[in-house]
Amino acid sequence: MSALTARPAWQALAAHHRQVRGVHLRDLFAADPGRGERLAAEGAGVYLDYSKNRVTDETLRLLVRLADESGLRARIEAMFRGERINATEGRAALHVALRAPAGAAILVDGANVVPQVHAVLDRMAAFAERVRSGAWTGHGGKRIAAVVNIGIGGSDLGPAMAYRALAHYSDRTRAFRFVSNVDATDFVEATRDLDPAQTLFIVSSKTFTTQETMANARSAREWLVRGLGTQAAVAKHFVAVSTNAAEVARFGIDPANMFEFWDWVGGRYSMDSAIGLATMLAVGADHFRALLGGFREMDEHFRSAPFARNLPVLMGLLAVWYADFFGAQSVAVLPYEQYLARFPAYLQQLTMESNGKHVTLDGAPVAADTSPVYWGEPGTNGQHSFYQLLHQGTRLVPCDFIAFAQPLNPLGDHHDLLIANVLAQGEALAFGRTADEVRAEGVAERLVPHRTFEGNRPSNTLLLERLTPAALGRLVALYEHSVFTQAAIWDINPFDQWGVELGKALAQRIVPELAAAPPGAPAHDSSTSALIRRYLQLRR
Ligand code: F6P
């Protein structure tokens, strides 16, 4: 038996699950008229209704006990204190320092990192102001009309998501584009209608060695130099966001135009670092600081609220409950807010690159399933595609619904229609429709099984006042800390990503083989070698 499954709370949960797995949400609600209000928590301006989960008071008590037995409290403190909790890379994981107030002190190796965080923020704000006001011009003196962020993974998904999420607050006089894929189509389509004389590239890469980003950055430099006829133009059209000053200089970007972050910021936890430069250029420094304020509010809630009323802890524990006791393979994230269209994609890296791990911190196999697959689409679109499976499929898919009380674009009764839909979905999933109810509607007997909804399908509903920069910060921090909570239970490291390395190394090996005729003896397995030969034939 592993340390995880030997924990008394785990064993108690396993026994408890056998008792409650058949209990229907209909019965839980019928037995407790106040359940809908009782099983709700509020923190940092976010209201979480978790009453439509397959839990009793005893489940929640045991889950909180599991968090206690897993040392969650001490782990949270270790993160906030800047300890090297990313043990496999020997680093702190201090994204919380990125939103700490100016006067705070958070030490890494004895040095307070908060002043450097604010120094970079101030430099970003000054730069953003120059670009936004038109004081920063291109090489020929024209205003910057387009900003292109080049980056991938955490150096793309955060800024791309936030740009879309905060479009309501953004500068509509400039185009913002995000190029990530090494597929040239991404770069070509993003720049097709842009004028090099008015385009600013932000090369965003923590390492400044990522193959895709460097290929796109080189193509951007060629595109610019070709368009403007001089290498000297690079200085006014390229800035960098990185931890690697030497590589930035080698690429030809003036270190004065580099915005720094640090090895204690993981890529998928970096949208509130200098990686957010594109976001700041789009929405301005004040909105960016409000975004950081929202993150900070959720950080404080996570650090101080009792686990039983702590939103990220509750959401993390519920995710473990379904993944490990009900065998749920995935979680659907369903924002009823068009501006959050890229939020599920952003969460995919945050959740799965963090917790898609097979060994514990000390290298032993994890005794339970780790991260579920996160996926989703904005409502109401998803209702007309995959919700059929959510309602009547054979798999259990816990859902997170996200909604805002106030629309950013009030138009007729659209918002009430939107909210009616999100509420209806949670209700339908939980309570379903029994065969008797279907019959009572006069449905022909042969259709009754088809028209029956078993219900008992769990969901959380997150309700916020309005999608503001601060609200976005709260939401992202909520999921960051939910991921941390899950990792603490599984005793895994959510801050490394060794699983992406093998594919990268093998691609580097294949690149030269595609440049020349492949060597006689197959260098790979017979499938990969045959595919290389076929590609080379077809490429001709
Ligand atoms: O390949 C995964 C990864 O390392 C992510 O963790 C990271 O966000 C992304 O690549 C980009 O890395 P970089 O910012 O160093 O270019």
Side-chain angles (χ1 to χ4, degrees), residues 259-325:
F259 298 87
E260 188 191 6
F261 65 116
W262 306 273
D263 72 353
W264 41 261
V265 182
R268 53 193 174 274
Y269 297 88
S270 68
M271 63 169 272
D272 47 341
S273 72
I275 289 290
L277 185 61
T279 315
M280 193 192 270
L281 283 166
V283 301
D286 288 348
H287 284 316
F288 194 82
R289 287 186 198 278
L291 171 80
L292 297 181
F295 273 99
R296 185 162 59 239
E297 285 173 55
M298 189 56 78
D299 292 345
E300 284 161 7
H301 170 79
F302 180 52
R303 196 176 186 182
S304 62
F307 289 167
R309 294 201 301 276
N310 190 310
L311 273 64
V313 172
L314 287 167
M315 285 182 67
L317 291 172
L318 287 166
V320 170
W321 174 236
Y322 293 119
D324 292 341
F325 295 93

Side-chain angles (χ1 to χ4, degrees), residues 151-156 204-210 213 261 266-268 270 275 349 353 497 500-501 504:
I152 198 164
S155 300
D156 165 70
S204 295
S205 175
K206 180 175 172 179
T207 54
F208 229 73
T209 55
T210 301
T213 299
F261 65 116
R268 53 193 174 274
S270 68
I275 289 290
Q349 187 196 17
E353 200 172 74
Q497 55 284 316
V500 301
E501 294 303 324
K504 285 186 193 174

Side-chain angles (χ1 to χ4, degrees), residues 202-525:
I202 306 174
V203 185
S204 295
S205 175
K206 180 175 172 179
T207 54
F208 229 73
T209 55
T210 301
Q211 184 198 56
E212 296 93 328
T213 299
M214 297 326 295
N216 278 318
R218 283 192 297 272
S219 295
R221 193 175 52 191
E222 278 163 30
W223 177 85
L224 183 94
V225 171
R226 202 170 48 243
L228 298 184
T230 170
Q231 191 73 30
V234 170
K236 298 303 293 286
H237 293 268
F238 275 80
V239 298
V241 178
S242 188
T243 61
N244 189 345
E247 281 300 320
V248 169
R250 234 160 61 87
F251 181 84
I253 296 176
D254 184 349
N257 294 332
M258 173 179 138
F259 298 87
E260 188 191 6
F261 65 116
W262 306 273
D263 72 353
W264 41 261
V265 182
R268 53 193 174 274
Y269 297 88
S270 68
M271 63 169 272
D272 47 341
S273 72
I275 289 290
L277 185 61
T279 315
M280 193 192 270
L281 283 166
V283 301
D286 288 348
H287 284 316
F288 194 82
R289 287 186 198 278
L291 171 80
L292 297 181
F295 273 99
R296 185 162 59 239
E297 285 173 55
M298 189 56 78
D299 292 345
E300 284 161 7
H301 170 79
F302 180 52
R303 196 176 186 182
S304 62
F307 289 167
R309 294 201 301 276
N310 190 310
L311 273 64
V313 172
L314 287 167
M315 285 182 67
L317 291 172
L318 287 166
V320 170
W321 174 236
Y322 293 119
D324 292 341
F325 295 93
F326 283 86
Q329 300 286 321
S330 78
V331 172
V333 181
L334 308 163
Y336 277 63
E337 171 53 70
Q338 189 61 27
Y339 285 124
L340 290 184
R342 292 290 289 163
F343 192 63
Y346 171 79
L347 282 188
Q348 289 188 318
Q349 187 196 17
L350 177 65
T351 56
M352 295 196 274
E353 200 172 74
S354 294
N355 283 345
K357 305 290 163 64
H358 69 138
V359 291
T360 59
L361 274 158
D362 61 10
V366 195
D369 274 332
T370 56
S371 182
V373 174
Y374 281 75
W375 59 285
E377 281 289 323
T380 57
N381 296 358
Q383 291 175 203
H384 298 271
S385 66
F386 55 78
Y387 277 41
Q388 165 66 39
L389 179 150
L390 300 182
H391 287 287
Q392 287 189 316
T394 53
R395 296 169 195 280
L396 183 76
V397 184
C399 299
D400 289 350
F401 292 108
I402 303 172
F404 297 85
Q406 299 171 12
L408 291 176
N409 295 300
L411 181 64
D413 61 353
H414 280 252
H415 198 65
D416 285 347
L417 292 175
L418 180 72
I419 299 302
N421 272 282
V422 66
L423 297 177
Q425 291 302 323
E427 193 175 15
L429 286 167
F431 301 102
R433 176 143 296 182
T434 64
D436 285 344
E437 285 167 343
V438 173
R439 279 188 198 100
E441 286 172 356
V443 170
E445 192 56 31
R446 71 182 173 84
L447 288 180
V448 168
H450 300 275
R451 303 284 299 267
T452 298
F453 292 68
E454 70 178 4
N456 216 13
R457 296 175 183 228
S459 64
N460 291 313
T461 302
L462 293 164
L463 187 60
L464 293 87
E465 195 173 275
R466 185 179 172 86
L467 177 54
T468 58
L472 181 66
R474 293 174 194 137
L475 260 186
V476 174
L478 169 60
Y479 278 94
E480 285 179 350
H481 298 320
S482 165
V483 163
F484 184 84
T485 299
Q486 295 170 50
I489 305 297
W490 293 316
D491 191 29
I492 58 177
N493 181 2
F495 298 116
D496 64 11
Q497 55 284 316
W498 301 108
V500 301
E501 294 303 324
L502 178 60
K504 285 186 193 174
L506 293 183
Q508 291 293 5
R509 200 176 128 203
I510 293 174
V511 169
E513 296 171 359
L514 302 185
H524 304 272
D525 60 275

Side-chain angles (χ1 to χ4, degrees), residues 84-148:
R84 292 177 186 273
I85 57 171
N86 178 357
T88 55
E89 296 183 313
R91 296 173 181 164
L94 254 187
H95 37 289
V96 293
L98 298 170
R99 51 261 193 165
I106 301 179
L107 306 185
V108 175
D109 297 333
N112 184 8
V113 298
V114 177
Q116 32 178 339
V117 166
H118 282 268
V120 172
L121 269 175
D122 290 344
R123 283 189 60 227
M124 289 165 65
F127 177 71
E129 176 51 28
R130 289 185 70 196
V131 173
R132 287 165 61 88
S133 68
W136 177 287
T137 57
H139 181 67
K142 288 190 180 169
R143 82 185 271 276
I144 297 298
V147 175
V148 181

